[in-house]
Amino acid sequence: MQDTKVFFITGASKGFGLEMTRQLLEAGHSVAATSRSKVALSEAAGTESSAFLPLEVDLTDPSDVAKAVSEAIETFGHLDVVINNAGYGQLGGLEELSDAEARTNYDINVFGTHNVIRAVLPQLRTQQSGHIINISSIAGITGGFPGWGVYCGTKFAVEGLSESLAAEVAQFGIKVTIVAPGYFRTEFLEDSSLTLPQNRLPAYTEIRESETVHSDQINGNQPGDPVKGAAAIIRIADTENPPLHLLLGPDAYAMAEKKMSDLRRDMEAWKELTLSTDLATA
């Protein structure tokens, strides 16, 4: 990046959030970073630089989020890039998961993101500039994963609200990008970031197999490099005309291509029925 910028990053104590924070500070940018624990965040970042503002935030509390955003603006004067990275995975079939389990996942992954967006937009609109980057997932584009229905639902929601957000804020010079990673070698599949259902039903053998595969085979063997992934997101933040959608990883690219192919197949196979519902159709 040619100029230093001010970043606001959620979920910065591990994974992509921590890696982006490290790379940005190393490059001379200012970072206001949030986590559920300020102590853990500070220890993970390993710096006491004046360009680093660690913030302990409950993303489900709008007033707590607003306070953190205000502190970031008071400290650095403005905001350039807001990265909604915080989130966690919830495994379990839709029949298995309780209302509380499902709502908690939505509270963090969707409403936490919404809370941050609401809090930063007054500043970005005043500036007539800014870039909001929402971290989604390939599971927000294709949902064919047994046992990941609620998580996929949260990420599909992030995709939808982000597309609408982009249309709403374009008039203010604000950019929006949705990042959809595939499997990256972060802590996402560890117990700290992935929650299993409390009520497992024996009938759902494919879901149990998915749990086992993710914990015993995929975890620790993900093909994506988080250092490269974080660098790619940072690169997008320095692009004059950033994309609305950014896929990360060959696996994400392949799965998105399959989703588009499947959608096109169904569209063409049922085109006659689709078009027959118009009032003007004889």
Side-chain angles (χ1 to χ4, degrees):
M1 293 186 186
Q2 296 180 347
D3 303 314
T4 58
K5 295 185 177 183
V6 177
F7 286 74
F8 186 93
I9 304 176
T10 67
S13 63
K14 57 186 176 182
F16 275 133
L18 179 59
E19 184 58 40
M20 286 187 287
T21 297
R22 287 172 174 165
Q23 291 188 26
L24 288 166
L25 290 173
E26 212 172 283
H29 301 286
S30 297
V31 180
T34 82
S35 177
R36 289 172 293 179
S37 168
K38 183 177 179 178
V39 173
L41 173 57
S42 298
E43 290 178 352
T47 179
E48 295 183 0
S49 167
S50 60
F52 176 59
L53 177 65
L55 298 163
E56 184 167 307
V57 180
D58 177 0
L59 293 176
T60 68
D61 183 346
S63 62
D64 206 30
V65 173
K67 180 182 176 182
V69 170
S70 294
E71 188 173 346
I73 295 170
E74 289 172 8
T75 302
F76 298 122
H78 66 284
L79 299 173
D80 293 305
V81 183
V82 176
I83 304 179
N84 283 300
N85 170 72
Y88 74 96
Q90 174 65 67
L91 253 171
L94 294 178
E95 183 183 356
E96 296 176 314
L97 292 175
S98 68
D99 185 73
E101 288 173 309
R103 287 181 184 274
T104 301
N105 203 211
Y106 274 88
D107 280 343
I108 297 295
N109 293 6
V110 181
F111 293 108
T113 294
H114 191 191
N115 288 338
V116 172
I117 290 169
R118 277 202 307 256
V120 302
L121 278 180
Q123 175 66 30
L124 301 188
R125 282 192 294 104
T126 298
Q127 297 172 183
Q128 294 285 291
S129 67
H131 189 179
I132 297 174
I133 300 176
N134 293 330
I135 307 300
S136 176
S137 166
I138 188 58
I141 294 175
T142 179
F145 307 103
W148 291 88
V150 165
Y151 178 73
C152 287
T154 68
K155 292 306 184 178
F156 268 73
V158 168
E159 295 273 341
L161 71 84
S162 299
E163 289 185 359
S164 291
L165 175 66
E168 293 169 1
V169 301
Q171 63 175 309
F172 306 115
I174 301 169
K175 309 295 185 182
V176 176
T177 296
I178 316 158
V179 178
Y183 286 103
F184 275 77
R185 205 167 297 184
T186 66
E187 298 91 338
F188 180 73
L189 295 180
E190 300 288 345
D191 292 343
S192 60
S193 297
L194 182 64
T195 302
L196 299 178
Q198 295 179 3
N199 176 37
R200 290 188 179 89
L201 299 178
Y204 287 102
T205 55
E206 288 189 359
I207 294 176
R208 302 290 82 79
E209 290 171 4
S210 178
E211 290 177 1
T212 300
V213 167
H214 279 86
S215 64
D216 297 347
Q217 298 179 30
I218 299 177
N219 187 27
N221 294 303
Q222 301 96 319
D225 182 347
V227 175
K228 293 179 180 178
I233 297 170
I234 292 171
R235 178 179 172 183
I236 289 299
D238 193 38
T239 302
E240 184 177 353
N241 296 302
L244 176 56
H245 295 277
L246 174 67
L247 297 167
L248 287 183
D251 54 345
Y253 192 92
M255 284 186 273
E257 277 200 322
K258 183 179 185 304
K259 171 63 180 281
M260 291 189 292
S261 175
D262 291 345
L263 178 60
R264 172 60 63 183
R265 182 194 65 226
D266 286 347
M267 286 173 62
E268 293 305 316
W270 295 95
K271 181 177 180 180
E272 182 179 354
L273 183 60
T274 297
L275 301 182
S276 71
T277 59
D278 193 80
L279 281 170
T281 304

